[in-house]
Amino acid sequence: MGTAALEMLAAESLAPPAPGEDRRITRSKRALRGALIALIEERGLDAITVNDLCERADLNRGTFYNHFHDKENLLTALENEVLAEVALLQARMQSVTLGDMLAFRVAGRPVPVLVDLFEYLRGESDFLRAVLGSGGDVRFGPRLREAVCENLVQNILHEKYRTNPTPFVCYYVAFYASAYLGIIARWVENGCPETPEEMARIAMRLLFITPGEPIEL
């Protein structure tokens, strides 16, 4: 999915309220977000009903239906919010080259946009832990992988492979993109014990490590 398409998702998200939005509406949406996250972790997405969400959020059904058609609509709005925010980082990620990565590695510094990415993901870790977990939404992982991981890997490819990828290059991108999604999922599942700076260094190091080499940061 391209950057423009992802930015359009913001219109359907639970992003910060627009100027003039009633604070009660904002509180209601936040309460539903918290209720959805808690219930996914407790019961799994499939077992949740709108009644469950309203009871947990201490809202009536009318309030829920003023904003969302059903639980899937609420979930999609939350997922779109994450992807819309990621889209804002994509332009910066697209400017990062392999040379930039190597230069930062030699200097012992993480790539700034990776630090910002992991900072944002840490802020959304409660939601990500729920939807990427066993009781969450199986559709979201591939969307996050495409929005974050595939774009990052493609950016550091040699230009000839970015413009005319071979089947093997496509498998290469898929391999590393899935690996990076696994890194994100493990990090949020464990409660984000490493800082965004540490995770940015880990992400960089794993990209360049070779079989048989000491596994050290």
Side-chain angles (χ1 to χ4, degrees):
M1 182 179 295
T3 300
L6 285 172
E7 289 174 344
M8 291 177 61
L9 298 176
E12 302 175 9
S13 72
L14 299 185
E21 180 176 270
D22 193 310
R23 291 185 179 181
R24 291 172 297 179
I25 296 175
T26 303
R27 285 195 297 268
S28 296
K29 291 180 178 179
R30 288 177 179 170
L32 287 170
R33 179 186 186 277
L36 180 65
I37 291 170
L39 289 169
I40 287 176
E41 295 198 322
E42 290 176 15
R43 309 178 190 177
L45 179 63
D46 291 342
I48 299 172
T49 67
V50 170
N51 282 338
D52 295 330
L53 289 166
C54 292
E55 182 177 348
R56 183 63 61 94
D58 195 22
L59 298 171
N60 60 53
R61 288 171 59 90
T63 299
F64 179 93
Y65 288 117
N66 281 339
H67 307 294
F68 305 103
H69 304 304
D70 48 35
K71 70 175 184 181
E72 287 78 14
N73 184 221
L74 169 61
L75 177 63
T76 298
L78 287 166
E79 292 176 344
N80 287 351
E81 178 184 359
V82 171
L83 296 179
E85 290 296 324
V86 167
L88 300 179
L89 293 168
Q90 279 192 358
R92 291 175 58 197
M93 285 193 287
Q94 288 170 356
S95 68
V96 176
T97 66
L98 179 58
D100 295 330
M101 296 278 264
L102 290 171
F104 278 107
R105 183 186 175 196
V106 170
R109 297 166 50 207
V111 177
V113 68
L114 287 179
V115 177
D116 292 344
L117 172 64
F118 280 104
E119 185 70 54
Y120 173 71
L121 295 176
R122 182 172 65 174
E124 294 291 331
S125 60
D126 57 345
F127 176 71
L128 292 173
R129 184 169 54 250
V131 295
L132 293 175
S134 59
D137 182 5
V138 296
R139 302 165 301 177
F140 184 66
R143 296 180 71 196
L144 184 63
R145 182 183 63 214
E146 178 183 359
V148 178
C149 309
E150 289 185 9
N151 284 329
L152 178 61
V153 175
Q154 287 172 339
N155 291 345
I156 63 172
L157 292 176
H158 189 282
E159 183 178 355
K160 70 177 181 180
Y161 298 124
R162 291 199 300 269
T163 58
N164 187 27
T166 66
F168 185 74
V169 170
C170 293
Y171 284 117
Y172 175 93
V173 171
F175 174 82
Y176 273 101
S178 295
Y180 273 109
L181 179 62
I183 292 169
I184 293 171
R186 179 177 177 83
W187 184 53
V188 299
E189 181 182 356
N190 289 340
C192 302
E194 292 83 14
T195 67
E197 290 79 6
E198 290 171 329
M199 289 304 300
R201 288 192 177 94
I202 289 171
M204 290 171 58
R205 178 72 179 105
L206 289 174
L207 189 64
F208 297 108
I209 201 166
T210 58
E213 182 181 350
I215 304 177
E216 300 173 351
L217 185 58

